[in-house]
Amino acid sequence: DAGITQSPRHKVTETGTPVTLRCHQTENHRYMYWYRQDPGHGLRLIHYSYGVKDTDKGEVSDGYSVSRSKTEDFLLTLESATSSQTSVYFCAISESTGADEKLFFGSGTQLSVL
Amino acid sequence: EDKVVQSPLSLVVHEGDTVTLNCSYEVTNFRSLLWYKQEKKAPTFLFMLTSSGIEKKSGRLSSILDKKELSSILNITATQTGDSAIYLCAVEAGGAQKLVFGQGTRLTINP
């Protein structure tokens, strides 16, 4: 699992409440990513980070913010959750093997917004 | 807008059959194409392709990239029930290892 831990594994919340998902890695990888997975859409990039305090938007960033105050933790925050944010959220890290760099994924967080 | 399309979206075959999954892409600044297998949880890495025409193999699975046709195929021979999964194709475009994913192909292998 490339040393990636996501928490919580499952979360049920109500519309309008703030939610924070955590991704923790143990292998000092520079790049970290948050994706969401929905039926019919595959995985879509929300935000990514290329270092401490260095983040950028992905293709579906509206309604989400991120923070990376230390290398090992990348937090995804839904400031005011909506039902459209019900999804499975995956954190990923980029790992180099020689000349190649590949993404490895955490086990995911199932978020339900009621 | 970068786009990755997989076909078929769903496939049901019998154990022992050979299957071919397709992936086509339209992206700027293509860097690599990756295949992942997703069972119940996280996608797991299968192959990374950067050069056209060079087949990559791992056991019964193989994949090849055609940069002229902007496509890739994933072949699975002598399928087993354990091959049942969603197979995801993704393309890295624009750097920072950001991936654009296709919708996935749901493969079901019946005994």
Side-chain angles (χ1 to χ4, degrees):
Chain A
D1 64 357
I4 307 169
T5 304
Q6 290 187 233
S7 59
R9 295 294 305 275
H10 303 274
K11 174 82 175 176
V12 180
T13 191
E14 293 185 349
T15 299
T17 59
V19 176
T20 295
L21 309 183
R22 180 181 184 238
C23 179
H24 179 78
Q25 55 128 337
T26 58
E27 299 181 9
N28 207 36
H29 297 290
R30 178 184 173 194
Y31 284 89
M32 299 183 75
Y33 308 80
W34 278 107
Y35 284 85
R36 61 179 287 176
Q37 186 174 30
D38 305 289
H41 289 280
L43 280 85
R44 292 179 292 173
L45 181 64
I46 306 171
H47 282 278
Y48 68 102
S49 170
Y50 46 96
V52 172
K53 296 186 180 178
D54 291 323
T55 65
D56 206 349
K57 296 179 180 180
E59 64 176 299
V60 290
S61 59
D62 287 348
Y64 301 95
S65 63
V66 290
S67 66
R68 192 164 178 204
S69 59
K70 40 186 182 173
T71 300
E72 56 266 36
D73 289 324
F74 191 32
L75 304 181
L76 177 71
T77 296
L78 291 65
E79 301 289 347
S80 178
T82 67
S83 58
S84 65
Q85 293 176 311
T86 292
S87 187
V88 180
Y89 291 85
F90 287 101
C91 175
I93 57 90
S94 178
E95 183 173 293
S96 294
T97 52
D100 294 338
E101 301 206 30
K102 309 177 186 74
L103 258 60
F104 293 89
F105 290 83
S107 297
T109 294
Q110 172 70 62
L111 175 67
S112 297
V113 183
L114 305 178
Chain B
E1 181 184 341
D2 295 336
K3 190 175 180 181
V4 177
V5 177
Q6 292 185 244
S7 64
L9 295 182
S10 180
L11 183 60
V12 181
V13 300
H14 290 291
E15 202 167 20
D17 289 350
T18 293
V19 299
T20 298
L21 310 183
N22 301 285
C23 176
S24 63
Y25 60 90
E26 293 179 31
V27 301
T28 54
N29 299 318
F30 173 90
R31 296 189 61 174
S32 61
L33 185 145
L34 297 90
W35 285 96
Y36 287 84
K37 178 182 181 182
Q38 185 176 27
E39 296 175 88
K40 292 184 179 179
K41 295 181 181 178
T44 54
F45 174 81
L46 293 175
F47 297 110
M48 180 178 186
L49 304 160
T50 55
S51 300
S52 204
I54 299 176
E55 185 182 52
K56 292 212 171 177
K57 293 194 72 170
S58 177
R60 298 176 292 103
L61 277 68
S62 63
S63 184
I64 195 163
L65 175 66
D66 186 336
K67 282 182 162 180
K68 186 176 179 183
E69 296 296 325
L70 305 183
S71 66
S72 174
I73 60 171
L74 175 68
N75 282 319
I76 309 175
T77 60
T79 52
Q80 302 171 358
T81 55
D83 295 326
S84 294
I86 297 173
Y87 290 83
L88 298 165
C89 174
V91 172
E92 183 193 352
Q97 296 92 50
K98 294 179 292 181
L99 298 181
V100 178
F101 282 84
Q103 321 95 301
T105 293
R106 181 179 293 274
L107 176 64
T108 302
I109 311 296
N110 288 327

